[in-house]
């Protein structure tokens, strides 16, 4: 079965054709990064307007790259949540029109579950495993028991991890997107230059939660307080120290979740999963099998939507003309602990 996947939840306009939920025949990602750079962040109205302009060409190219004729498609999958409402609506309306005109089945896909599906496009992986979704909008440590069966173990109680990278980078003028700029600078910096405070360890229900607003404030406003005077105050050192603090916090909760559940396979996804330090730290552990999707599938893309959409369509899921978008994720089941 060949499924067309359409993704327009944020600032990537993407489409892909995937066969049987595994074989990526094409994947086109048109990023709007350059158009938002001057604002140091995604401007929702600009994002949706660009999706309207671009989506037809992006879908057309995905079909052409796959050598796929529209009438021979077996179904259409589209991101419907979570994301920017105006952006999601562009992809959904386009997908609905296509499905209606071609009389093909349509299914709405959850973007977070799709990020967790991305590594399954290239690996044979058994459930259950631990999922780590880290991006500009999401910070999630979960247990995945099936392609749409996840239990949230931990999340952020304030800012998303990527958001913290972006805000610190914006403050210091490191570049956009902030995570990419910090990653690049940090490679030639020394994290010992600054020892940021570690947030209090949460207990019980918050055992696996993280918090980034304190670290963000410390990095922006309280550098003097935590700086080691033996080191020069360079962009590289600030980036390295911040990156280490942000990633170590995430890793401490992740390792806790791995140890508590005994599940030693971790699947990471989302833009921050491209971070060099995070990847190195996880890869260096003998007790954890860490799977990162190829870099092209870490960020937002249509292939993960088509892949997950295939599973849903095979199960019999169908959405009709009244399908709508949800900017926020309806809460996943959350693990209750003592
Ligand atoms: O998944 P994504 O493309 O879009 C969202 O759903 O948010 O993730 C974008 C986020 C941004 O916050 C960006 O700064 C961050 O991922 N990011 C990184 C790296 N590459 C992208 N953060 C840290 N290190 C990176 N190499
Ligand atoms: Zn995403």
């Amino acid at each position: 079965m060949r499924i067309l996947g359409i993704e327009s939840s944020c600032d990537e306009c993407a489409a892909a054709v995937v066969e049987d939920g595994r074989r990526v025949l094409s994947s086109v990602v048109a990023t709007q990064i350059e158009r938002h750079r001057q604002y140091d962040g995604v401007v929702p109205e600009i994002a949706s307007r660009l999706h309207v302009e671009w989506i037809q060409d992006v879908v057309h190219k995905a079909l052409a790259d796959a050598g796929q004729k529209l009438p021979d498609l077996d179904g259409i999958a589209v991101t419907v949540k979570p994301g920017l409402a105006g952006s999601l609506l562009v992809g959904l309306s386009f997908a609905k029109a296509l499905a209606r005109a071609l009389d093909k089945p349509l299914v709405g896909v959850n973007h977070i579950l799709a990020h967790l599906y991305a590594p399954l496009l290239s690996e044979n992986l058994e459930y259950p495993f631990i999922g780590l979704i880290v991006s500009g909008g999401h910070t999630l440590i979960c247990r995945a028991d099936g392609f749409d069966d996840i239990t949230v173990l931990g999340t952020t109680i304030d800012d998303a991890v990527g958001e913290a990278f972006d805000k610190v980078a914006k403050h210091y003028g490191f570049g956009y997107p902030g995570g990419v700029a910090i990653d690049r600078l940090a490679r030639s910096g020394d994290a010992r230059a600054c020892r940021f405070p570690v947030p209090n360890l949460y207990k019980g229900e918050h055992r696996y939660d993280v918090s980034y607003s304190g670290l963000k404030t410390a990095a922006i406003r309280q550098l003097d307080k935590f700086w080691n005077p033996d080191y020069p105050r360079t962009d590289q050192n600030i980036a390295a120290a911040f990156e280490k603090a942000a990633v170590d916090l995430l890793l401490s909760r992740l390792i806790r979740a791995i140890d508590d559940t005994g599940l030693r396979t971790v699947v990471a996804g989302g833009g921050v999963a491209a971070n060099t330090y995070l990847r190195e730290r996880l890869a260096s552990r003998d007790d954890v099998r860490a799977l990162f999707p190829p870099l092209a599938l870490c960020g937002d893309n249509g292939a993960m939507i088509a892949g997950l959409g295939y599973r849903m369509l095979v199960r019999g899921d169908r959405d009709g003309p009244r399908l709508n978008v949800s900017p926020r994720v309806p809460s996943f089941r959350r693990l209750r602990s003592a």
Side-chain angles (χ1 to χ4, degrees), residues 7 9-10 12 82 111-112 115 133-138 269-271 298-301 304:
E7 156 65 39
S9 66
C10 190
E12 328 285 356
H111 181 92
I112 303 224
H115 269 303
I133 301 298
V134 276
S135 73
H138 312 289
C298 264
D300 295 346
N301 65 86
M304 66 184 191

Side-chain angles (χ1 to χ4, degrees), residues 48-69:
S48 42
R49 285 171 182 271
L50 287 174
H51 284 307
V52 161
E53 283 178 25
W54 292 0
I55 195 154
Q56 194 160 344
D57 288 346
V58 166
V59 169
H60 189 264
K61 181 158 174 26
L63 292 165
D65 288 358
Q68 180 67 43
K69 297 262 176 291

Side-chain angles (χ1 to χ4, degrees), residues 2-8 14-16 59 73-80 91-92 94-96 98-99 104-110 114 301-313 319 323:
R2 289 182 169 200
I3 307 299
L4 170 69
I6 296 177
E7 156 65 39
S8 70
V59 169
L73 273 176
D74 296 295
I76 297 166
V78 60
T79 308
V80 289
L92 174 59
F94 194 87
K96 269 189 192 178
L98 263 188
K104 301 288 178 191
L106 171 73
V107 70
V109 170
N110 179 318
N301 65 86
M304 66 184 191
I305 306 301
L308 179 56
Y310 164 80
R311 302 275 161 205
M312 298 170 74
L313 288 167
D319 282 306
L323 178 62

Side-chain angles (χ1 to χ4, degrees), residues 102-125:
L102 299 167
D103 195 22
K104 301 288 178 191
L106 171 73
V107 70
V109 170
N110 179 318
H111 181 92
I112 303 224
L113 295 178
H115 269 303
L116 276 183
Y117 188 85
L120 282 87
L121 291 164
S122 50
E123 293 268 351
N124 279 318
L125 200 57

Side-chain angles (χ1 to χ4, degrees), residues 245-286:
V247 171
D248 284 355
L249 174 63
L250 199 58
L251 285 171
S252 71
R253 304 307 199 269
L254 180 69
I255 299 302
R256 198 181 261 182
I258 290 169
D259 288 342
D260 289 358
T261 58
L263 299 175
R264 307 230 149 252
T265 300
V266 175
V267 167
V272 184
N275 182 263
T276 310
Y277 176 68
L278 171 67
R279 293 170 90 100
E280 282 174 3
R281 283 292 309 275
L282 271 179
S284 71
R285 293 187 72 104
D286 293 335

